[in-house]
Amino acid sequence: MSNKLFVGNLSFNTTENDLQDAFAAHGTVTEANLMMDRATGRPRGFAFITMSSPEEAQKAIQALNGANLDGRDLTVNEARPKATGSTGGYGNGGGGGGGGYNRGGSSIRGY
């Protein structure tokens, strides 16, 4: 088990300090990252919390998954690593349509 936890279904009023306080009751919090929307600067409704040990992370999951914070029932589980090779957007970030002149050989008349 990892030390890093995903926390979802957060109220937009919840702060990193609120998360720090809630999780500190179950162990030492080494990092609290509330994800923010780049365009609006508002919280996105989820965060990542890093506990000091896997045992403390498991204890926090058991205590806080489904617990109410700021009027919302939290979803707390082990954070999964980012998918490799994915660039977001469309599929795996590959390709685009064909087109273009002279692709793989002469396609323009007279040449």
Side-chain angles (χ1 to χ4, degrees):
M1 162 138 212
S2 170
N3 300 6
K4 193 166 190 173
L5 304 175
F6 167 83
V7 184
N9 199 35
L10 291 173
S11 165
F12 293 129
N13 298 322
T14 302
T15 66
E16 281 185 359
N17 286 336
D18 295 334
L19 290 169
Q20 177 87 23
D21 293 344
F23 281 81
H26 307 286
T28 303
V29 177
T30 58
E31 189 175 23
N33 289 321
L34 181 63
M35 299 296 109
M36 305 297 275
D37 185 292
R38 291 181 193 159
T40 65
R42 290 184 42 167
R44 293 183 63 194
F46 69 96
F48 292 98
I49 302 292
T50 305
M51 304 296 287
S52 65
S53 73
E55 295 78 24
E56 289 180 351
Q58 186 61 43
K59 186 177 169 187
I61 289 171
Q62 291 172 347
L64 294 173
N65 188 38
N68 192 288
L69 180 66
D70 291 332
R72 304 289 298 265
D73 292 338
L74 300 179
T75 299
V76 182
N77 50 45
E78 185 177 357
R80 287 182 237 137
K82 223 183 241 189
T84 58
S86 178
T87 58
Y90 301 101
N92 284 332
Y101 291 114
N102 210 9
R103 183 178 229 193
S106 264
S107 60
I108 302 173
R109 275 189 236 168
Y111 290 97

